[in-house]
């Protein structure tokens, strides 16, 4: 388990997101402050990668914001191997933590065995499987930001000159597949004949491998890359092609490369879990819908350095579709099957 300071676990860069600036960026103003009479809920995060990795950073950032608002006490462990995950779950449960959150995509059955042993502990875990009443204290969630991914695809289609687009993912699991399909659907709104090179690197955190995979796609004619993994935007920057980000906004690091990003906001998901724990109604449920755009769970990042460079026709279509998505009159298809190259 990570070392602690003032009751909060500090990983290799655990203080990074605990700064005042990071808390503000996490949307602190969106969290209602808990009254003085209410005890904060104790929360532990268990992450298989560093907390700065795209997906995990959203959980960590939301938890830091909830902690700053007085809603929770928060500790975490990062870089937890799948083989170690059940043991760390047990350690936190034995310590009396009220809510354990994290991702169990690579340790589904083993994690459920732990859940059964601690019926008084609430578990909110990223999973590719639906909720199961056999595990009444396990709520699942997934990264349903297909709405924002679709909008980023519209921007990508307008910015690609060749219509040859490279897409580098971690693993072909539903959470990744649906974002890729939504992105591709957005691209085809403005470039119906676009072609896609699709590859999965078999890792959630291997920037060098992602970079090399992206280089190969550029050599094969791609002039825009979908950066589902870290390392892709580095390749795009070195070769002078454009990129679209995923889950977090990295434009500050790649101001001439990353045009737009589909952002995930975990705050609504965490808030829903905390509300149910406080009310004593936490149960097996699917929290995936809290990632939808209409719930505030995702958004398209501001264009920033690319303001004025994206064709107005594409921006008009983005605005039209975003309004329709939020109103419920337009639905982005959810396709969880593995995407293939064109």
């Amino acid at each position: 388990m990570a070392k602690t300071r003032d009751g909060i676990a500090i990983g290799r860069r655990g203080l990074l997101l605990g700064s005042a600036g990071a808390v503000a960026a996490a949307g602190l103003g969106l969290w209602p402050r808990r009254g003085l009479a209410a005890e904060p809920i104790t929360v532990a995060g268990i992450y298989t990668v560093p907390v700065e990795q795209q997906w995990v950073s959203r959980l960590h950032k939301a938890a830091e914001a909830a902690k700053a608002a007085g809603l929770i006490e928060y500790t975490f462990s990062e870089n937890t191997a799948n083989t170690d995950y059940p043991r760390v779950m047990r350690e936190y449960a034995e310590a009396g933590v009220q809510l354990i959150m994290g991702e169990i995509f690579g340790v589904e059955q083993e994690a459920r065995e732990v859940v059964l042993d601690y019926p008084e502990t609430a578990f909110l875990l990223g999973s590719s499987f639906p909720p199961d009443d056999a595990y009444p204290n396990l709520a699942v969630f997934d990264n349903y930001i297909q709405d924002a991914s679709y909008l980023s695809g519209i921007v990508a289609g307008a910015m690609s000159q060749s219509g040859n687009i490279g897409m580098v993912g971690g693993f072909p699991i539903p959470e990744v597949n649906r974002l890729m399909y939504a992105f591709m659907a957005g691209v085809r709104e403005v470039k119906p004949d676009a072609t896609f090179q699709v590859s999965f690197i078999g890792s959630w955190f291997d920037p060098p491998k992602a970079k090399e995979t992206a280089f190969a796609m550029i050599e094969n004619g791609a002039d825009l890359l979908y950066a589902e993994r870290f390392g892709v935007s580095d390749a795009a920057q070195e070769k002078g092609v454009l990129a679209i980000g995923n889950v977090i906004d990295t434009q500050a690091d790649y101001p001439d490369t990353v045009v737009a990003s589909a952002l995930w906001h975990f705050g609504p998901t965490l808030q829903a879990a905390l509300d149910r724990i406080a009310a004593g109604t936490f149960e097996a449920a699917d929290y995936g819908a809290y990632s939808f755009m209409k719930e505030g769970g995702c958004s398209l990042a501001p264009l920033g350095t690319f303001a004025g460079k994206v064709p107005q026709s594409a921006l008009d279509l983005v605005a039209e579709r975003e309004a329709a998505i939020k109103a419920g009159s337009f639905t982005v298809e959810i396709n969880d099957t593995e995407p293939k190259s064109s």
Side-chain angles (χ1 to χ4, degrees):
M1 192 175 301
K3 296 180 180 179
T4 63
R5 178 180 298 171
D6 299 330
I8 303 301
I10 303 298
R12 181 167 54 86
R13 289 189 227 174
L15 285 174
L16 177 65
L17 294 178
S19 66
V23 169
L28 177 58
L30 300 178
W31 292 91
R33 287 192 171 271
R34 187 175 293 276
L36 294 178
E39 288 293 324
I41 292 169
T42 54
V43 177
I46 309 176
Y47 311 124
T48 61
V49 292
V51 292
E52 51 270 75
Q53 186 261 9
Q54 297 113 298
W55 197 92
V56 159
S57 73
R58 309 315 288 176
L59 279 67
H60 182 66
K61 203 169 190 178
E64 288 283 1
K67 170 181 169 281
L71 297 178
I72 68 173
E73 294 178 1
Y74 174 55
T75 186
F76 69 92
S77 295
E78 60 181 349
N79 292 314
T80 303
N82 283 334
T83 53
D84 232 12
Y85 208 96
R87 177 188 62 79
V88 179
M89 289 175 67
R90 291 184 185 280
E91 287 184 359
Y92 280 128
E94 291 286 349
V97 170
Q98 292 169 275
L99 173 65
I100 294 175
M101 68 180 197
E103 10 88 49
I104 56 170
F105 298 106
V107 64
E108 297 275 2
Q109 189 52 49
E110 296 90 338
R112 282 170 171 74
E113 292 172 5
V114 175
V115 166
L116 288 178
D117 290 341
Y118 299 94
E120 300 303 313
T121 305
F123 293 87
L124 177 65
L125 300 171
S127 170
S128 294
F129 294 90
D132 186 340
D133 289 337
Y135 307 93
N137 55 325
L138 170 60
V140 298
F141 66 90
D142 210 339
N143 184 7
Y144 284 89
I145 65 168
Q146 66 281 344
D147 298 330
S149 295
Y150 166 80
L151 297 181
S152 73
I154 294 175
V155 174
M159 295 298 286
S160 172
Q161 298 298 313
S162 68
N164 184 334
I165 294 175
M167 306 182 70
V168 181
F171 292 92
I173 65 171
E175 180 260 330
V176 175
N177 298 343
R178 72 177 65 107
L179 305 188
M180 285 189 164
Y181 270 111
F183 172 82
M184 294 160 76
V187 170
R188 290 184 174 124
E189 289 280 14
V190 292
K191 272 200 171 48
D193 298 327
T195 59
F196 301 91
Q197 302 178 57
V198 180
S199 184
F200 298 92
I201 63 172
S203 173
W204 292 129
F205 195 73
D206 191 343
K209 188 173 183 179
K211 185 177 181 180
E212 287 304 314
T213 303
F215 277 148
M217 291 178 173
I218 296 169
E219 287 295 318
N220 200 34
D223 70 347
L224 187 143
L225 300 173
Y226 176 76
E228 199 271 328
R229 293 290 102 194
F230 278 161
V232 177
S233 294
D234 294 292
Q237 180 175 251
E238 288 187 26
K239 295 297 184 179
V241 304
L242 300 177
I244 297 291
N246 179 59
V247 175
I248 62 174
D249 187 359
T250 58
Q251 192 184 79
D253 297 320
Y254 309 95
D256 299 317
T257 302
V258 175
V259 183
S261 299
L263 306 183
W264 182 29
H265 309 296
F266 191 70
T269 303
L270 179 56
Q271 182 66 67
L274 296 178
D275 288 344
R276 293 179 191 181
I277 291 171
T281 59
F282 190 89
E283 60 183 0
D286 188 346
Y287 281 55
Y290 291 104
S291 293
F292 285 26
M293 184 169 283
K294 64 182 180 180
E295 298 292 342
C298 67
S299 66
L300 185 66
L303 292 178
T305 55
F306 279 85
K309 299 177 183 178
V310 178
Q312 188 59 46
S313 58
L315 298 181
D316 291 343
L317 181 57
V318 166
E320 176 188 330
R321 291 293 160 76
E322 180 177 356
I325 289 168
K326 291 179 177 178
S329 59
F330 183 86
T331 301
V332 176
E333 180 185 5
I334 296 175
N335 186 340
D336 288 346
T337 60
E338 181 178 345
K340 305 292 184 181
S341 297
S342 301

